[in-house]
Amino acid sequence: MLFRSAYRAKDDFAAALADYIRAIESDPKSASAYSNRGVVLSLMGDHAAAVADYSKVIELSPKNGAAFRARALDEMFPGPGGRAPEAYAW
């Protein structure tokens, strides 16, 4: 399941979000549904919720490097989900 280009072309993030919520309700172990919902949430500016979804992807699919990268990027935003400087400092 990919973030549907029809939604993206129209910037209809609310409809895409609703689809991914239904997909997760239908299959709560679908890492791709959480990942795609994370993309939509990030595009909507809800970085804390996107971080939570990417964390769920990592829980379900621990070798998913893309989820680690996406979570790190969303953690760089200020606010409740933003903690990248502290979490990734050397």
Side-chain angles (χ1 to χ4, degrees):
M1 177 183 341
L2 298 173
F3 178 49
R4 294 179 175 92
S5 60
Y7 291 137
R8 192 171 209 162
K10 297 189 305 182
D11 288 336
D12 194 354
F13 301 126
L17 183 61
D19 273 359
Y20 291 122
I21 289 170
R22 283 191 296 276
I24 290 167
E25 288 170 348
S26 172
D27 182 5
K29 294 187 184 224
S30 172
S32 66
Y34 282 101
S35 180
N36 285 308
R37 186 174 72 174
V39 170
V40 173
L41 289 166
S42 182
L43 290 169
M44 294 175 76
D46 191 347
H47 301 289
V51 166
D53 274 359
Y54 294 132
S55 294
K56 185 66 175 180
V57 174
I58 292 165
E59 176 187 320
L60 294 169
S61 182
K63 294 182 181 183
N64 186 326
F68 282 96
R69 184 182 68 244
R71 183 176 70 178
L73 290 172
D74 272 291
E75 285 179 331
M76 289 193 309
F77 287 90
R83 61 179 187 86
E86 301 84 23
Y88 301 100
W90 292 94

